[in-house]
Amino acid sequence: ETTANSVAVKVTDANRPQLKSLVARLDEALKTWEKNVSTSPLDEKELKRRRALVTELQASIRPVMGGGSFVRPDGVLGTGNGQSTILGQRHIMAEQDLILDEIGSGVDRLHQQAININDETTLHKNLLDDMDHGVDRAFAGLRGETRRATEIRHKMSNCPLYICIVVELVVLTLLLVLGFS
């Protein structure tokens, strides 16, 4: 709706740079007047009102940062009297509602990821516990086999074998001495 005191402009990605440029020019002109209030054609109250309107315009055409899927509710900028402030507040509240909805869905996704990570961690813990029990059983089995091998080694003493070898060497030496004489 357009009246003598207000203008409505649809904000799109195509016209956003042009709108930014126009608002920047307005801002520069307003800054010049604010520096020289005594030579300004506007009084201080009117300068403050226009500063608020320019600030509102700047906020309205600035895209929302953060990389989400948020899009401004209707993309319309209103400029004018007191209604523009109310419209601006409604736009801001609508933006905040949409941002909160997006944050809520992000928290839900994060919650689901946390549940999935917990499930996977529990699975890995169970696998590691099973592996630990298997290693303990294998270690106990190796210890038992080592003990049995030690017992067999002690039972099978080499001393009688060494005595047999010495006796055979003595007999061989006697045979050699008797054979050459």
Side-chain angles (χ1 to χ4, degrees):
E1 181 176 320
T2 305
T3 65
N5 293 331
S6 68
V7 176
V9 177
K10 178 87 171 159
V11 178
T12 64
D13 286 336
N15 68 2
R16 187 179 310 274
Q18 183 181 7
L19 287 172
K20 280 185 178 181
S21 170
L22 292 171
V23 171
R25 285 176 48 200
L26 278 174
D27 187 48
E28 287 301 317
L30 192 58
K31 282 180 184 175
T32 305
W33 284 344
E34 287 172 338
K35 285 181 185 175
N36 303 319
V37 176
S38 60
T39 60
S40 170
L42 305 173
D43 64 349
E44 196 169 323
K45 184 177 178 183
E46 181 64 17
L47 284 173
K48 286 181 183 180
R49 187 185 75 77
R50 289 186 183 200
R51 170 55 60 201
L53 290 173
V54 169
T55 303
E56 181 184 330
L57 277 171
Q58 288 171 330
S60 297
I61 60 174
R62 185 176 36 237
V64 174
M65 302 308 225
S69 60
F70 172 74
V71 178
R72 290 188 180 275
D74 58 7
V76 174
L77 305 178
T79 60
N81 303 8
Q83 282 208 347
S84 67
T85 305
I86 294 172
L87 286 175
Q89 288 174 347
R90 286 184 183 157
H91 286 292
I92 290 170
M93 286 175 25
E95 286 178 9
Q96 289 173 348
D97 288 344
L98 291 172
I99 291 170
L100 285 175
D101 289 343
E102 188 172 322
I103 289 171
S105 65
V107 168
D108 290 341
R109 286 191 306 270
L110 186 62
H111 175 64
Q112 188 58 44
Q113 286 177 348
I115 290 171
N116 292 342
I117 289 171
N118 181 46
D119 292 344
E120 193 167 335
T121 303
T122 302
L123 173 70
H124 284 257
K125 181 192 169 295
N126 291 338
L127 290 172
L128 286 173
D129 286 344
D130 290 346
M131 189 184 302
D132 187 43
H133 293 306
V135 168
D136 287 344
R137 284 192 306 268
F139 184 71
L142 281 174
R143 192 178 318 147
E145 290 301 319
T146 302
R147 189 180 68 246
R148 281 192 279 282
T150 304
E151 289 173 2
I152 290 172
R153 186 174 51 108
H154 286 303
K155 286 181 183 176
M156 300 282 298
S157 177
N158 290 336
C159 189
L161 293 177
Y162 287 128
I163 293 173
C164 286
I165 290 173
V166 171
V167 171
E168 286 178 355
L169 283 175
V170 170
V171 171
L172 183 61
T173 308
L174 282 177
L175 286 176
L176 285 173
V177 171
L178 292 177
F180 285 114
S181 44

